[in-house]
Amino acid sequence: MTVAELFCEREKTYLSKFAFLTSNTRGREKPCNKCPNRTDFQRDRDRIIHSKSFRRLMHKTQVFFFPEDEHYRTRMTHTLEVAQISRIIARALRLNEDLCEAAALGHDLGHTPFGHSGEKAMQKFYKETFAHYEQSIRVVEKLENDGEGLNLTWEVKDAILNHSGSNEASTLEGRIIKLADRIAYINHDIDDAIRAKILSIDDIPRDLINTLGRGHSERINNMVTSIITESMDKPYVKMSEEIGQATAELRSFLFDNVYHNRHVKAEEDKAIEMLGMLFEYYTKNPKELPYYCYKNTAEESVERCVCDFLSGMTDRYAVNLFRELYVPSKWRRTI
């Protein structure tokens, strides 16, 4: 029996009856030989970590564009926090930790440069229904690995696709990702907003502080504990009604006071306009797309391929490319 097979047998003994067993996976779109040392979900985790799109997350905006303080979160640090929170919940509930980790690490691979501002740009210039979670699936199925994709398991892709909005994943592990994502960004965005002096802890409504906690760690712990307590040995994963309501109210508070804050959004229009000019340029000049995008124009629209190219960019790559295309070189050194 291989190490991977031993792991799968151990799952049958240890995990909850509501857990998704690795041995029950629907598998991959392209069949491949099993790894003797890693289960399918462990293998998915490794494929994601070693991908180019994962590495680019370190230079993609979470909330704040080009912060001078290096302690602000990026899309990479957000992803790592989601993975950490989801693993804690999965371990406590005896659900499949490997499935959670792989999905958490891959959930934002399709996110645009400049965070949700970039997503708005793609909705404006490419297609109104553009969504980063759908783009994440496109990344792992078609764009990564020089067009071969990562060939992930069905369950990991399902969790990635359904981690946002009203969508619901097919597994409890996938549903953990949605909760862990929200817990992570609510709390680290508060932390970053306080660092940026856009918010102070005393601005948060007192009733939410009393329910969820005053400090960063305290709030996360209370939210996670609520999920574990409410969901232990149950066929669902959710917060208690009190904590869930307070969390939803805190999220709404963030939208009103941070995400839509005029200081935070001061550069948003510039970012959207810049991406729009890049979109127009490459739509008119598709042969200048990198080969992995240009080759897809044989079977898909140029606009779709340009969207893929722009969505994969880091913030600084987009800015540098814009300068190269639109700022006269004689003047570029003085800017």
Side-chain angles (χ1 to χ4, degrees):
M1 184 175 287
T2 66
V3 172
E5 289 170 340
L6 286 172
F7 282 143
C8 288
E9 288 303 309
R10 187 184 301 170
E11 288 180 0
K12 296 175 183 177
T13 302
Y14 173 74
L15 294 185
S16 163
K17 64 181 180 180
F18 301 112
F20 187 88
L21 300 180
T22 305
S23 56
N24 291 334
T25 178
R26 295 192 193 182
R28 307 177 189 281
E29 187 174 335
K30 303 172 188 175
C32 61
N33 294 330
K34 295 287 187 180
C35 175
N37 301 314
R38 297 169 297 167
T39 67
D40 285 333
F41 298 145
Q42 291 170 352
R43 200 174 186 183
D44 282 358
R45 172 203 61 203
D46 295 347
R47 289 182 176 188
I48 290 168
I49 287 176
H50 290 285
S51 69
K52 292 178 181 177
S53 52
F54 182 79
R55 294 197 294 275
R56 289 197 298 269
L57 294 177
M58 69 186 296
H59 294 301
K60 291 194 176 191
T61 290
Q62 174 60 28
V63 173
F64 296 94
F65 297 173
F66 296 119
E68 294 182 3
D69 186 332
E70 294 181 350
H71 295 118
Y72 288 94
R73 270 70 171 192
T74 64
R75 191 62 58 178
M76 170 74 82
T77 52
H78 162 73
T79 293
L80 295 176
E81 290 185 37
V82 174
Q84 176 255 336
I85 291 170
S86 66
R87 287 182 61 186
I88 289 172
I89 296 170
R91 187 179 301 166
L93 297 178
R94 292 188 298 119
L95 298 178
N96 196 317
E97 197 173 330
D98 294 327
L99 172 53
C100 269
E101 183 178 29
L105 291 173
H107 83 283
D108 270 353
L109 290 181
H111 229 301
T112 55
F114 308 109
H116 288 284
S117 299
E119 192 166 19
K120 289 179 183 178
M122 293 302 100
Q123 291 165 352
K124 179 178 181 180
F125 299 110
Y126 169 60
K127 196 173 184 180
E128 290 183 4
T129 56
F130 176 89
H132 73 275
Y133 47 87
E134 293 176 346
Q135 187 67 17
S136 294
I137 294 300
R138 187 165 171 84
V139 167
V140 301
E141 288 187 340
K142 190 175 183 67
L143 301 178
E144 257 295 339
N145 197 23
D146 296 325
E148 294 297 318
L150 299 180
N151 197 24
L152 303 181
T153 56
W154 187 91
E155 292 75 23
V156 169
K157 292 192 296 182
D158 174 72
I160 291 172
L161 180 62
N162 294 295
H163 80 268
S164 186
S166 60
N167 301 340
E168 187 169 81
S170 299
T171 63
L172 294 187
E173 289 81 0
R175 296 171 196 175
I176 286 176
I177 304 305
K178 180 183 288 189
L179 290 169
D181 182 38
R182 185 162 294 191
I183 291 170
Y185 74 68
I186 285 174
N187 287 290
H188 63 52
D189 290 352
I190 289 174
D191 195 36
D192 282 353
I194 291 173
R195 179 174 289 105
K197 302 188 186 309
I198 288 171
L199 199 67
S200 78
I201 192 65
D202 293 324
D203 292 328
I204 299 175
R206 179 58 49 188
D207 59 325
L208 299 183
I209 292 290
N210 292 338
T211 301
L212 298 173
R214 183 177 180 85
H216 177 80
S217 297
E218 183 182 7
R219 288 191 303 273
I220 291 177
N221 186 63
N222 286 335
M223 291 175 183
V224 169
T225 300
S226 171
I227 294 171
I228 293 170
T229 302
E230 189 73 15
S231 310
M232 185 68 72
D233 296 323
K234 301 291 195 308
Y236 53 75
V237 178
K238 64 180 183 180
M239 292 181 181
S240 67
E241 185 174 349
E242 180 185 23
I243 298 296
Q245 180 61 35
T247 300
E249 291 177 12
L250 183 56
R251 180 173 179 268
S252 296
F253 171 83
L254 280 177
F255 270 93
D256 293 338
N257 295 276
V258 177
Y259 305 140
H260 296 158
N261 182 281
R262 62 185 179 88
H263 297 294
V264 174
K265 292 303 181 184
E267 302 295 285
E268 179 175 84
D269 289 344
K270 295 178 186 178
I272 292 175
E273 185 66 22
M274 180 182 68
L275 290 173
M277 292 177 70
L278 290 174
F279 190 91
E280 181 180 16
Y281 178 86
Y282 282 100
T283 300
K284 293 179 178 178
N285 302 279
K287 290 184 179 180
E288 294 188 31
L289 288 168
Y291 177 71
Y292 73 90
C293 287
Y294 177 67
K295 70 177 183 179
N296 292 333
T297 60
E299 57 186 49
E300 298 182 281
S301 70
V302 170
E303 290 78 10
R304 169 72 268 183
C305 299
V306 172
C307 178
D308 290 337
F309 180 43
L310 297 184
S311 297
M313 292 179 180
T314 63
D315 298 13
R316 66 183 184 182
Y317 183 86
V319 170
N320 290 338
L321 185 59
F322 179 83
R323 285 175 177 165
E324 181 180 325
L325 293 175
Y326 290 106
V327 179
S329 58
K330 182 177 179 180
W331 299 98
R332 197 182 302 149
R333 298 186 187 90
T334 66
I335 294 177

